[in-house]
């Protein structure tokens, strides 16, 4: 049996709590991890002023994978400048480790708006409006100008699109939908559409469609079953995956993988929810999203059988109508026991 080196970023709030339950379930699945804890997040920034030191980034590069809980200060806190952690930690990890695919699977849970939905969103993760192009002119004057560019390269778009087509080709429905705004974003949208058209030739068994992003927001609410694999850019993907999480049962169940498919560095796995400082330490956090994220990590590490068992155990637990008063640790125990 292989032992995998995994960097743990518990982070802030409920982050360390849900990561602990994810590790409990991975151990129950029979996968051996050699873990290293990294003190990163809002708490560290407040104490030291550091966000992601170069030396720590260098250590993270040597890991097989990274499992992250949540980062962020309490709501209303002014201890961390707005966007500092997003840009300095999360985005920097995506850019430095070339985590160019953000994969978010959505499987409905009982009581959800769409309990039977089953689709995946592939979001380009290192370009678009998050690349940082832009600036100010005449800042803090009545004539201030702010620009925020969207960076889209053929290389970046194509590698993401090819990943999405390959994923769709391995699913039962074999269907891919490009989501963009080609009628208004005529340059970036044209690049995305042409790339999908050209790459589709290499995947003749995959059917394809196109939806404007605003129409997608309607369809995700009214008929999410129309989707199998969605591929989209960074900003649109960020928005529609939150909506998809709500439709599928809440972001407490939403997992994500920030992937480097070329494996030139470790990939990062994290639940979509935030730090939820208001319930930290109360045992009320739901670790399902973190456990689902750990399953994605196992799949990426080549432990497909263990990943499938973990995912199945989570689904079994959710559909068993568990006592809503179960604590965070009790949920982890209940899922681990199914393994």
């Amino acid at each position: 049996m292989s032992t995998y080196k995994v960097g743990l970023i518990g982070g802030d709030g409920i982050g360390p709590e849900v990561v602990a339950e994810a590790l409990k379930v991975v151990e129950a699945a029979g996968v051996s991890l050699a873990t290293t804890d990294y003190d990163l997040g809002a708490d560290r920034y407040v104490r030291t002023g550091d966000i992601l030191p170069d030396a720590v980034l260098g250590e993270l590069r040597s890991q097989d994978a990274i499992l992250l809980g949540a980062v962020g200060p309490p709501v209303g806190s002014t201890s961390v400048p707005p966007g500092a952690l997003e840009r300095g930690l999360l985005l920097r990890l995506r850019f430095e480790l070339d985590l160019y695919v953000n994969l978010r699977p959505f499987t409905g849970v009982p009581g959800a708006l769409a309990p039977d939905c089953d689709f995946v969103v592939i979001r380009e993760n290192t370009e678009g409006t998050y690349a940082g192009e832009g600036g100010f002119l005449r800042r803090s004057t009545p004539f201030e100008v702010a620009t925020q560019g969207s960076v889209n390269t053929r290389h970046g778009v194509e590698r993401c699109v090819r990943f999405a087509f390959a994923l769709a080709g391995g699913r039962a429905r074999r269907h891919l939908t490009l989501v963009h705004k080609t009628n208004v974003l005529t340059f970036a949208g044209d690049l995305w559409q042409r790339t999908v058209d050209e790459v589709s030739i290499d995947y003749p068994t995959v059917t394809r469609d196109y939806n404007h992003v605003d129409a997608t927001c309607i369809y995700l609410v009214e008929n999410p079953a129309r989707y199998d694999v969605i591929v989209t850019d960074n900003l649109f993907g960020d928005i529609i995956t939150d909506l998809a999480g709500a439709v599928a049962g809440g972001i407490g169940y939403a997992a994500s993988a920030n992937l480097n498919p070329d494996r030139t560095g470790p990939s990062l796995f994290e639940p979509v929810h935030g730090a939820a400082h208001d319930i930290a330490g109360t045992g009320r956090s739901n670790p399902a999203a973190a456990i689902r994220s750990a399953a994605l990590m196992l799949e990426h590490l080549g432990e497909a059988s263990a990943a499938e068992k973990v995912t199945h155990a989570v689904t079994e637990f959710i559909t068993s109508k568990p006592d809503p008063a179960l604590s965070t640790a009790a949920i982890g125990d209940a899922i681990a026991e199914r393994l």
Side-chain angles (χ1 to χ4, degrees):
M1 178 184 296
S2 298
T3 297
Y4 302 98
K5 296 188 300 179
V6 175
L8 303 179
I9 304 174
D12 307 305
I14 65 171
E17 300 170 27
V18 297
V19 165
E21 299 312 308
L23 294 176
K24 178 190 296 181
V25 172
V26 169
E27 181 180 4
V31 178
S32 176
L33 304 181
T35 61
T36 303
D37 287 288
Y38 291 93
D39 177 22
L40 299 170
D43 286 347
R44 172 167 182 158
Y45 177 82
V46 171
R47 293 196 318 271
T48 68
D50 292 330
I51 296 180
L52 179 58
D54 290 343
V56 175
L57 176 60
E59 290 183 28
L60 287 169
R61 290 185 191 276
S62 69
Q63 302 295 316
D64 296 316
I66 302 167
L67 184 62
L68 186 148
V71 296
V75 174
S77 170
T78 59
S79 59
V80 180
L85 291 175
E86 290 83 354
R87 294 190 303 271
L89 178 57
L90 300 178
L91 290 184
R92 189 181 179 202
L93 285 171
R94 293 174 189 176
F95 297 151
E96 293 280 357
L97 301 178
D98 203 19
L99 308 177
Y100 63 85
V101 165
N102 184 266
L103 180 151
R104 296 193 183 185
F106 295 96
T107 304
V109 303
L113 183 62
D116 297 324
C117 70
D118 180 12
F119 61 94
V120 182
V121 178
I122 300 300
R123 163 189 170 192
E124 198 290 316
N125 213 28
T126 59
E127 295 189 346
T129 50
Y130 292 7
E133 183 190 44
F136 293 101
L137 181 64
R138 297 190 291 272
R139 184 173 181 174
S140 299
T141 75
F143 307 101
E144 181 171 358
V145 177
T147 62
Q148 191 78 58
S150 179
V151 176
N152 299 266
T153 68
R154 174 62 190 233
H155 170 71
V157 172
E158 181 171 339
R159 64 183 184 173
C160 182
V161 167
R162 285 194 177 276
F163 182 94
F165 266 107
L167 178 66
R171 289 170 61 88
R173 291 174 57 192
R174 292 198 286 252
H175 184 71
L176 180 141
T177 304
L178 169 63
V179 170
H180 212 279
K181 192 68 175 171
T182 55
N183 58 336
V184 176
L185 303 179
T186 52
F187 303 117
D190 183 69
L191 173 57
W192 275 87
Q193 185 66 72
R194 281 187 290 109
T195 303
V196 167
D197 292 344
E198 293 167 19
V199 172
S200 69
I201 297 171
D202 296 332
Y203 297 89
T205 65
V206 177
T207 59
R208 58 193 173 92
D209 197 2
Y210 169 82
N211 289 158
H212 289 324
V213 64
D214 44 346
T216 299
C217 292
I218 297 173
Y219 300 147
L220 280 173
V221 174
E222 293 184 343
N223 182 27
R226 71 184 289 152
Y227 293 118
D228 182 25
V229 174
I230 292 173
V231 64
T232 190
D233 82 345
N234 209 337
L235 177 60
F236 295 149
D238 195 2
I239 295 168
I240 66 172
T241 51
D242 277 4
L243 177 56
V247 167
I251 58 173
Y253 295 102
S256 76
N258 298 271
L259 299 175
N260 176 334
D262 304 326
R263 300 178 186 269
T264 57
S267 293
L268 183 151
F269 304 84
E270 60 176 321
V272 174
H273 60 67
H277 287 267
D278 56 325
I279 60 170
T282 66
R284 291 164 50 204
S285 59
N286 182 357
I291 296 170
R292 282 177 159 179
S293 298
L296 295 175
M297 178 183 73
L298 293 179
E299 184 176 3
H300 183 72
L301 290 172
E303 298 288 345
S305 177
E308 184 177 358
K309 290 176 183 177
V310 170
T311 300
H312 183 66
V314 174
T315 301
E316 271 192 343
F317 171 77
I318 294 170
T319 56
S320 69
K321 298 181 179 179
D323 182 350
L326 283 178
S327 69
T328 305
I331 294 172
D333 289 339
I335 295 173
E337 286 169 5
R338 285 169 163 78
L339 296 164

